[in-house]
């Protein structure tokens, strides 16, 4: 249902990435704000089309006015005409009292989505629409100021087991705990707002699929670049004994292959079920909080 609110952001990114724009004549940043779409699926008997069209027009006028009230920004007709950012969105009424607003902000220069959020607001009168616009305009302005998130390919955590002879494959329990560590790290990075997690399921066969990127001489950077990421992250759990382990990670620039960040937990006590806690804590302390 909510998917109908907005043209998929990935499609719009393709349009933006194909555009070329001249430098602006002044120091202000150009922003193009497309008219939001509107759909009413509330099934109310009264025809409210005229009222919704009026309120949506007032909403868009107020949004453009509030954005350009900040002198750092000016309206531009299109990306090709000098807009550095593109704002798109849609509103859907689902019941008498509930409406949803989907809003995205695209950094045209970096070709990145800097905001993609879904909001709900109650009511369908002038006051409710005005409150929603005030909130959305503040969110958009915050997104325009914030740096674009780094597209990060977080590959599956790997196990370096120093307690057992080399095996052809990982034990099922080890795979499960490694997957938990990977999922926890991806969630923490995404929630920080500093990173946009790139899907690595298309990495194919080879080192990424066999969890041996730690020994491939930095090939993770090249794989990440092919996936459209800015950086790559590989993480390793080193099992010292059945109750002792260490966690490490390394981040490379996908374009140059240079190491831009790394961290190591030092010796930690705990069973394998604590790998997730150790991995998330390490990344939070040495990557998220250090930015």
């Amino acid at each position: 249902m909510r998917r109908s609110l907005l043209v998929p952001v990935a499609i719009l990114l393709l349009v933006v990435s194909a555009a070329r724009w001249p430098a602006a004549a002044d120091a202000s940043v150009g922003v193009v704000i497309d008219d939001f779409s509107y759909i009413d699926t509330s099934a109310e008997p009264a025809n409210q089309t005229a009222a919704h069209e009026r309120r949506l027009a007032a909403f868009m006028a107020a949004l453009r006015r509030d954005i350009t009230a900040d002198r750092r920004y000016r309206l531009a007709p299109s990306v090709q005409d000098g807009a550095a950012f593109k704002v798109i969105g849609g509103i859907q009424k689902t019941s008498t009292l509930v409406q949803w607003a989907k809003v995205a902000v695209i950094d045209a220069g970096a070709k990145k989505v800097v905001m993609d959020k879904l909001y709900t607001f109650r009511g369908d009168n002038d006051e409710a629409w005005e409150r929603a616009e005030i909130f959305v305009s503040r969110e958009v302005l915050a997104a325009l100021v914030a740096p674009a998130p780094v597209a990060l390919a977080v590959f599956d955590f790997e196990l370096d087991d120093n307690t057992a002879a080399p095996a052809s494959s990982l034990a099922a329990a080890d795979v499960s705990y490694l997957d938990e560590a990977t999922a926890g790290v991806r969630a923490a990075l995404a929630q920080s707002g500093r990173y946009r997690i790139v899907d690595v399921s298309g990495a194919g066969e080879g080192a990424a699929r066999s969890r041996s990127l730690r020994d491939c001489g930095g090939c993770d950077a090249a794989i990440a670049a092919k996936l459209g990421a800015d950086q790559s992250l590989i993480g390793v759990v080193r099992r010292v004994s059945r109750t002792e382990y260490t966690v490490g990670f390394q981040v490379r620039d996908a374009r140059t292959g240079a190491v831009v960040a790394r961290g190591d937990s030092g010796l930690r006590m705990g069973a394998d079920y604590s790998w997730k806690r150790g991995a998330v804590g390490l990344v939070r302390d040495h990557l998220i909080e250090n930015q």
Side-chain angles (χ1 to χ4, degrees):
M1 175 180 63
R2 297 173 193 169
R3 197 172 294 173
S4 64
L5 287 174
L6 193 60
V7 175
V9 173
I11 296 175
L12 285 157
L13 275 174
L14 291 175
V15 176
V16 169
S17 65
R20 297 292 184 270
W21 55 91
D26 56 37
S28 61
V29 175
V31 181
V32 57
I33 304 177
D34 285 353
D35 285 335
F36 287 11
S37 62
Y38 189 85
I39 182 171
D40 185 350
T41 56
S42 65
E44 292 180 299
N47 187 334
Q48 303 175 75
T49 301
H52 289 153
E53 289 177 350
R54 175 179 60 80
R55 288 173 181 145
L56 181 60
F59 180 99
M60 297 310 305
L63 181 61
R64 293 182 174 111
R65 181 187 65 243
D66 289 347
I67 298 302
T68 55
D70 186 323
R71 294 188 178 182
R72 292 174 295 180
Y73 306 106
R74 58 181 172 79
L75 290 180
S78 68
V79 170
Q80 292 87 343
D81 293 312
F85 292 93
K86 186 178 182 69
V87 180
I88 56 177
I91 299 174
Q92 181 173 2
K93 182 176 181 178
T94 57
S95 69
T96 300
L97 293 177
V98 177
Q99 302 199 74
W100 294 87
K102 176 79 166 176
V103 185
V105 178
I106 300 171
D107 183 330
K111 301 169 189 157
K112 294 180 179 179
V113 178
V114 296
M115 186 185 93
D116 184 13
K117 294 185 178 181
L118 183 65
Y119 308 99
T120 182
F121 64 98
R122 296 181 63 82
D124 186 13
N125 53 36
D126 293 349
E127 182 181 0
W129 279 74
E130 182 178 353
R131 287 198 306 269
E133 185 281 323
I134 292 172
F135 184 84
V136 167
S137 65
R138 290 173 179 169
E139 292 278 288
V140 170
L141 280 170
L144 294 175
V145 172
V150 175
L152 181 62
V154 180
F155 293 100
D156 292 338
F157 267 63
E158 303 177 3
L159 177 63
D160 182 9
D161 192 347
N162 297 305
T163 67
S168 59
S169 61
L170 292 172
D174 290 338
V175 171
S176 176
Y177 291 127
L178 288 171
D179 287 345
E180 288 182 3
T182 303
V185 166
R186 286 173 178 158
L189 290 166
Q191 290 168 6
S192 74
R194 300 179 185 275
Y195 297 94
R196 177 173 61 85
I197 305 304
V198 174
D199 182 9
V200 299
S201 61
E205 302 298 331
R209 186 61 59 87
S210 62
R211 295 184 190 254
S212 57
L213 288 173
R214 66 187 185 278
D215 298 323
C216 75
C219 70
D220 51 293
I223 298 172
K226 291 180 180 179
L227 296 172
D230 301 316
Q231 297 177 353
S232 64
L233 183 150
I234 57 173
V236 180
V237 175
R238 297 179 181 87
R239 180 186 276 145
V240 180
S241 70
R242 302 311 298 183
T243 59
E244 298 172 322
Y245 71 96
T246 67
V247 182
F249 75 86
Q250 185 168 270
V251 178
R252 290 183 183 271
D253 183 288
R255 183 177 60 86
T256 67
V259 175
V260 296
R262 56 162 55 99
D264 194 286
S265 67
L267 191 64
R268 287 176 178 257
M269 303 294 292
D272 43 15
Y273 55 75
S274 60
W275 292 352
K276 174 183 176 181
R277 183 173 65 249
V280 172
L282 178 68
V283 168
R284 181 174 290 121
D285 292 343
H286 291 267
L287 189 57
I288 297 174
E289 299 299 334
N290 273 353
Q291 294 297 316

